[in-house]
Amino acid sequence: MALPQKESSPIFSDATAGTLRLIAYLALAAILMVLDHRNGWLHRVRYASAAAIVPIYKIAAAPADWVHDASTAFVERRKLIDENRQLQESLLLAQARLNRMDAVSQQNERLKQLLDTQHLLGLHAQLARLIDVQLGPTHDRVMLNVGADEGVHVGQVVIDSHGIMGQVIETLPHASIAMLVTDPDHAVPVMLARTGMRGIAHGTGEADQLVVPNLPLSSDIKPGDQWVTSGLGGRFPAGFPVGTVTKLEHGPSGMFLEALVKPAAQLARSGEVLLLRDQPDPVGPPAPAPQVGPPASLAPTTAHASPASPARLANPNPPKPATAASAGATP
Amino acid sequence: MNRMRAQGWAFWIGIVLALLLMLMPLPTMIQPLKPYWPALVLIYWALESGDRVGIGMAFCIGLAADLLNGALLGDQALRLAVLVFIVLRFRSRLRFFPMWQQALAVWLLLLNNHVLQALIRAFAGVPAMPALSWLAPAVGAAIWPFVFLLFDDVNTRVRGKGAKSA
């Protein structure tokens, strides 16, 4: 049964024409496929026509999105309950973790304050942590987690971000013991920040109190004044806060005033402390000046030049910083 | 003229819908069973009005589908050209088949199409299709009556409206 076709060719019958056309198209398709397979045309064409094609994809994908939305909207109740329980569990876990992070961030804050102190003062210092706090009426001493192997030596000053804490009195290979300013055996040469009056702050054995005895009755001092280290004695660098005057009393003899002082450092609280590396400048004559001039090997060996060199060496400074340091060591 | 234009609109809308359906993602379980919609639409229109759908048009639509599908340029063009050729060759007989025989014929057409696809993929060195996809022609055949009735309904309405306005 032949199709009635209007534009039938006189030469070819319908069927032949159709077959020929089909063969032509098949050949074209085959050529296209081979070329595409070899050269990746399709990708290039798609790339060029992306602006037109992408919206079509979006439209085609829309029903799937709607189905997904609907399924989340009408999801089974039990699934929701399960999910809820799981979420609550993970919330608990997360909160626990968060609490721990809180502690860590507070610690971070403290460490940053310490670092700031260090930078502010331009000090070389070593960070240390308290291992064991031994506060008591007889000994106010703490153990630090660094020792001789880390470069700690006896006499180093311990500070925190608020002020002087004490000094190292004993070193172990990986730990050291520091005496706090509140120890009854401890004393710091201090200076009143406002007037410059000198004094010596002794520990009292009580955790939060120092005493500066033997102040003249006529001295200009009032509660709230701040004591700082005076730098005398050479052990403590000058200018570190030591404490604030809380109360003035008459001494046992009645001839002098006694200032009760609250330590500036947070002795009971500090978890991290700084050990000052560089000792203060020793009191005493300065260190010998370095030799200036050309080295001795370049000196002319002729007879007329030789009197010059003894003249240059004639003024040696007597080096005795060690005695000065040891003189100031005992508080 | 108006009637032709209205029918043209219906045809192109049908083609666009078929392409969208082809692209539409389905759950992975039933994805291989998705019938080949452009073929169904082209079969209908080839049967309905043989002078509208030629091999050339099938080829062009196949190219568009290839472009959208991103597989191999010319693959669907070849398959749809073959399909339309066969349908046009047997058009006068197919038109007067009862529905179940028509559906059977559609199944054979789609199966042929599928075999061609498998061959092309084998030649191109693309991984073979999943075994489940051999059921897709049967799904297409099962859907065919509904597709036919739907398009027939739309077609008669469009034609009636076109005739009235003309």
Side-chain angles (χ1 to χ4, degrees):
Chain A
M1 212 200 279
L3 263 167
Q5 276 211 294
K6 282 157 252 165
E7 72 273 48
S8 59
S9 148
I11 303 169
F12 299 113
S13 71
D14 281 347
T16 325
T19 315
L20 281 179
R21 282 228 301 277
L22 175 70
I23 289 170
Y25 279 122
L26 290 191
L28 187 58
I31 291 168
L32 267 181
M33 277 191 277
V34 169
L35 286 177
D36 179 35
H37 195 55
R38 289 286 156 87
N39 303 333
W41 280 12
L42 183 61
H43 176 70
R44 265 176 263 169
V45 176
R46 279 163 64 84
Y47 193 83
S49 55
I53 286 179
V54 171
I56 297 177
Y57 285 147
K58 285 194 178 148
I59 295 169
D65 289 346
W66 296 336
V67 169
H68 181 254
D69 289 351
S71 75
T72 47
F74 300 109
V75 74
E76 282 175 51
R77 193 163 157 270
R78 192 196 298 173
K79 205 172 151 195
L80 273 179
I81 291 171
D82 277 357
E83 209 176 272
N84 196 0
R85 193 178 328 122
Q86 275 182 0
L87 284 177
Q88 268 177 351
E89 276 174 26
S90 59
L91 182 67
L92 269 180
L93 261 176
Q95 261 176 350
R97 243 177 247 144
L98 209 64
N99 286 341
R100 220 175 54 190
M101 289 310 286
D102 247 5
V104 170
S105 88
Q106 279 168 10
Q107 185 188 31
N108 192 20
E109 203 57 40
R110 285 201 307 273
L111 288 175
K112 271 200 293 199
Q113 272 183 5
L114 273 179
L115 270 181
D116 280 351
T117 316
Q118 188 177 342
H119 285 309
L120 215 68
L121 302 171
L123 292 169
H124 289 293
Q126 180 177 15
L127 190 69
R129 218 154 36 83
L130 300 191
I131 296 179
D132 190 12
V133 181
Q134 302 171 341
L135 285 173
T138 53
H139 299 296
D140 273 353
R141 288 168 198 192
V142 291
M143 189 170 272
L144 307 175
N145 71 336
V146 289
D149 282 10
E150 283 87 18
V152 177
H153 52 87
V154 172
Q156 273 191 292
V157 177
V158 182
I159 63 168
D160 73 355
S161 46
H162 304 281
I164 296 273
M165 280 189 79
Q167 56 182 313
V168 175
I169 53 166
E170 188 183 344
T171 57
L172 306 172
H174 290 291
S176 52
I177 294 168
M179 182 188 277
L180 295 182
V181 285
T182 50
D183 192 286
D185 293 340
H186 196 275
V188 196
V190 290
M191 178 175 82
L192 205 61
R194 188 165 56 85
T195 61
M197 180 172 62
R198 292 188 310 274
I200 292 182
H202 294 274
T204 59
E206 284 169 50
D208 229 14
Q209 192 160 306
L210 303 175
V211 63
V212 184
N214 301 331
L215 297 171
L217 282 171
S218 61
S219 56
D220 174 18
I221 182 170
K222 57 180 190 286
D225 281 348
Q226 200 169 30
W227 291 105
V228 298
T229 48
S230 62
L232 294 178
R235 173 61 58 99
F236 291 93
F240 277 92
V242 173
T244 319
V245 177
T246 55
K247 202 176 167 193
L248 293 168
E249 286 179 350
H250 288 281
S253 63
M255 306 287 288
F256 296 99
L257 273 179
E258 264 184 12
L260 298 185
V261 175
K262 184 181 180 299
Q266 300 189 321
L267 299 177
R269 261 189 276 166
S270 296
E272 292 87 13
V273 297
L274 284 178
L275 290 173
L276 296 189
R277 266 276 164 70
D278 38 7
Q279 296 287 322
D281 290 334
V283 180
Q291 275 205 351
V292 284
S297 58
L298 291 183
T301 48
T302 48
H304 63 86
S306 54
S309 43
R312 202 184 295 150
L313 294 172
N315 53 351
N317 275 320
K320 46 172 186 175
T323 53
S326 61
T330 324
Chain B
M1 192 60 224
N2 221 342
R3 195 198 88 173
M4 287 295 282
R5 192 181 293 164
Q7 230 177 8
W9 274 110
F11 169 74
W12 285 114
I13 289 172
I15 289 293
V16 167
L17 280 181
L19 291 179
L20 286 179
L21 280 174
M22 179 187 76
L23 288 173
M24 198 176 84
L26 286 179
T28 34
M29 273 300 289
I30 56 174
Q31 181 80 30
L33 294 177
K34 185 155 65 170
Y36 189 31
W37 292 103
L40 291 179
V41 174
L42 276 178
I43 290 172
Y44 173 80
W45 284 106
L47 287 179
E48 180 56 35
S49 56
D51 49 348
R52 178 177 297 282
V53 181
I55 298 177
M57 178 168 289
F59 186 84
C60 292
I61 291 170
L63 276 186
D66 278 329
L67 198 60
L68 286 175
N69 226 4
L72 188 62
L73 194 65
D75 166 30
Q76 295 189 59
L78 185 145
R79 277 151 49 202
L80 287 180
V82 170
L83 184 103
V84 165
F85 172 78
I86 297 172
V87 172
L88 287 181
R89 178 55 69 80
F90 298 105
R91 176 171 179 258
S92 43
R93 243 170 289 177
L94 287 172
R95 283 186 75 168
F96 299 107
F97 273 172
M99 189 56 85
W100 69 271
Q101 267 181 337
Q102 222 176 41
L104 201 67
V106 167
W107 177 62
L108 285 173
L109 283 168
L110 289 177
L111 195 64
N112 176 53
N113 178 63
H114 208 73
V115 171
L116 273 179
Q117 187 181 9
L119 281 176
I120 290 168
R121 286 174 77 100
F123 273 119
V126 186
M129 292 173 291
L132 202 60
S133 69
W134 288 97
L135 285 178
V139 174
I143 284 175
W144 170 253
F146 306 103
V147 173
F148 184 85
L149 290 178
L150 178 72
F151 272 93
D152 220 31
D153 189 48
V154 171
N155 201 8
T156 41
R157 274 161 200 258
V158 163
R159 208 163 14 177
K161 205 196 287 177
K164 231 177 278 171
S165 61

